[in-house]
Amino acid sequence: MIKLENGWTTTPQGFEAGAAMAGVKKEGRYDVSVIYSSVPAACGAVFTQNKFCAAPVLLDREVNKGAYAQAIVANSGCANACTGVKGYEDAVAMQAKTAELLGIEPQAVFVCSTGVIGAFMPMERINKGIEEAIDVMDENGGEIAAMGIQTTDTVIKHIAYEGEIGGKKVRFGGIAKGSGMIHPNMATMLTFITTDAAIAPDVLKRAVKKAADLSFNMVVVDGDTSTNDSMIVLANGMAENEIIVSEDHPDYPAFFEMLLACAKDLAKKIAYDGEGATKFLEVKVVGAKDFADAKKAAMAIAKSPLVKTAIFGEDANWGRITCAAGYSGADLDPEKASLTMGGVRLFENGLNNNVADEIMEPIMAQKEISLVMDLAVGEAEATVWTCDFSYDYVKINGDYRT
């Protein structure tokens, strides 16, 4: 498996993309994107568990009940959430417009939106944007399509891998957006992954759920689960490998390895680009009784405002970390638990190791910091990715609508 440095959702065979500046966001920014497969693609998707889910999520759950899809249309600048019947009708209209222009059935089109909650879609501008995005769509449109789904993102998030499945060259490509309101309960803000591998739709759907659980469900910025979170995967089979018909198929591990690699890379990029973030933090919990407990403790540490602000202040305040693990609800042995940060054991067998501040200063000054919390009650482990809380996080979210 090879990571491709400049890969997008258009890297696999048969995929095109385009975007338009429709004026949904500020002038001069891409805000409507279309991704298209020249042939029907097996589809798999997971969505937010927020009960105030956006209209496109309601529509896409129906699309995902089908075996195949062929396009994704997405906009940024307006979430189309908490918009009632009109919001759903607007999502259906986006789907219909895209399908008409591409010459495919409406139920083959996923619709995604991101942005401000509670505002109605500016449909005249949206429709014009869909037309323009499809008009410029080609195999080189992956980058502008990625730009078209950004909101407070400061970097374009994309990834691609190339590998071999059943003797055939196969490619995966993905884009994502997400910077704030990140505490997924399925996937993340918006994530689109394409592949030219051949896989049965039911197998793909299960693989997507599993990949989400091991990647996007292990990233957190601020503890808020969005109304619009969607992870959509399209597999069009144009690599012509023998179709993977079950998890027991000999080629399934290679397929899942590349899918998970894309998902993990994109998840980490979201944590790295957290709103106002100055640090990337990897939280690993080991010695747990099971994976659920390991994740519970890791998430408690990663979500803690006290931990996140200490990381921003470059303060190796290990007490905040052990405290979060202690209230997480995970089983642990307080007399045997330990904590290591940046390779330095700060806390061992329930006691302070009295590490000098001078030793920790260069570690805490780094952009990327890792910590390992050992609960000392089992063999299970889990890793969560997050970022710090800076002054800029408050500034960004204090005037988000303006």
Side-chain angles (χ1 to χ4, degrees):
M1 182 174 64
I2 302 169
K3 183 184 288 189
L4 304 177
E5 293 301 321
N6 194 31
W8 308 88
T9 51
T10 52
T11 297
Q13 297 179 64
F15 286 95
E16 298 181 354
M21 299 178 185
V24 185
K25 291 192 298 196
K26 294 179 181 178
E27 188 175 346
R29 295 184 64 186
Y30 288 104
D31 49 21
V32 175
S33 299
V34 176
I35 299 168
Y36 171 68
S37 172
S38 60
V39 298
C43 64
V46 285
F47 306 100
T48 183
Q49 297 300 304
N50 192 313
K51 292 183 179 178
F52 282 110
C53 62
V57 172
L58 296 173
L59 181 62
D60 287 349
R61 285 175 179 161
E62 295 303 310
V63 175
N64 194 49
K65 289 178 181 178
Y68 298 91
Q70 210 163 340
I72 302 167
V73 60
N75 75 275
S76 54
C78 181
N80 195 8
C82 299
T83 49
V85 174
K86 176 172 170 47
Y88 189 80
E89 290 174 346
D90 287 344
V92 170
M94 288 179 65
Q95 182 187 55
K97 180 72 171 179
T98 305
E100 177 188 1
L101 293 173
L102 292 175
I104 59 178
E105 294 298 317
Q107 60 266 32
V109 180
F110 284 98
V111 179
C112 294
S113 298
T114 183
V116 176
I117 295 170
F120 289 117
M121 299 289 283
M123 288 305 297
E124 185 176 341
R125 279 175 279 170
I126 290 287
N127 284 333
K128 183 180 179 182
I130 294 171
E131 292 174 359
E132 292 178 359
I134 291 175
D135 188 53
V136 302
M137 189 173 64
D138 62 22
E139 65 275 10
N140 298 311
E143 183 173 7
I144 60 172
M147 295 168 67
I149 62 174
Q150 291 180 296
T151 51
T152 57
D153 305 67
T154 65
V155 296
I156 302 172
K157 302 171 180 70
H158 64 102
I159 196 67
Y161 280 89
E162 180 179 288
E164 188 174 290
I165 294 179
K168 301 289 186 178
K169 183 174 74 174
V170 168
R171 288 182 168 182
F172 283 70
I175 60 173
K177 68 83 52 183
S179 189
M181 198 179 279
I182 303 294
H183 181 218
N185 194 10
M186 44 42 68
T188 186
M189 288 292 289
L190 294 181
T191 301
F192 308 139
I193 296 175
T194 61
T195 179
D196 48 21
I199 185 169
D202 60 327
V203 184
L204 177 62
K205 291 181 195 301
R206 292 192 293 272
V208 170
K209 174 64 170 63
K210 184 178 178 181
D213 285 342
L214 295 173
S215 58
F216 296 111
N217 280 345
M218 304 301 286
V219 63
V220 59
V221 169
D222 46 23
D224 280 349
T225 298
S226 167
T227 55
N228 293 61
D229 293 347
S230 302
M231 174 187 180
I232 299 170
V233 180
L234 299 178
N236 68 12
M238 292 186 70
E240 298 184 341
N241 59 290
E242 178 182 308
I243 187 167
I244 299 169
V245 295
S246 76
E247 288 89 339
D248 295 327
H249 192 284
D251 294 332
Y252 178 81
F255 176 92
F256 187 75
E257 180 186 13
M258 282 190 276
L259 174 63
L260 183 59
C262 284
K264 279 188 174 182
D265 279 355
L266 291 170
K268 290 178 183 179
K269 288 175 186 288
I270 288 169
Y272 208 93
D273 190 35
E275 287 176 342
T278 68
K279 308 281 188 183
F280 172 82
L281 180 63
E282 182 176 88
V283 180
K284 185 174 184 178
V285 169
V286 301
K289 71 174 185 180
D290 54 30
F291 175 78
D293 256 21
K295 179 180 177 180
K296 192 183 298 181
M299 274 291 180
I301 294 167
K303 288 194 297 180
S304 167
L306 293 181
V307 172
K308 293 161 79 68
T309 50
I311 297 298
F312 170 66
E314 300 183 355
D315 179 10
N317 189 344
W318 61 263
R320 292 182 172 183
I321 299 168
T322 56
C323 176
Y327 67 60
S328 69
D331 284 348
L332 60 82
D333 187 335
E335 295 183 357
K336 295 181 180 179
S338 65
L339 172 67
T340 301
M341 184 178 291
V344 178
R345 185 66 62 90
L346 299 176
F347 173 76
E348 188 167 17
N349 294 326
L351 296 172
N352 187 356
N353 254 5
N354 296 307
V355 175
D357 288 343
E358 302 82 65
I359 294 175
M360 295 307 297
E361 284 173 1
I363 294 172
M364 300 308 294
Q366 295 174 8
K367 170 70 176 178
E368 299 183 14
I369 299 171
S370 63
L371 65 87
V372 180
M373 182 80 208
D374 188 344
L375 305 184
V377 293
E379 302 296 327
E381 61 182 53
T383 302
V384 168
W385 304 286
T386 189
C387 59
D388 60 344
F389 269 165
S390 71
Y391 306 126
D392 284 341
Y393 179 85
V394 177
K395 292 177 182 177
I396 289 167
N397 286 284
D399 65 353
Y400 180 76
R401 293 196 303 162
T402 56

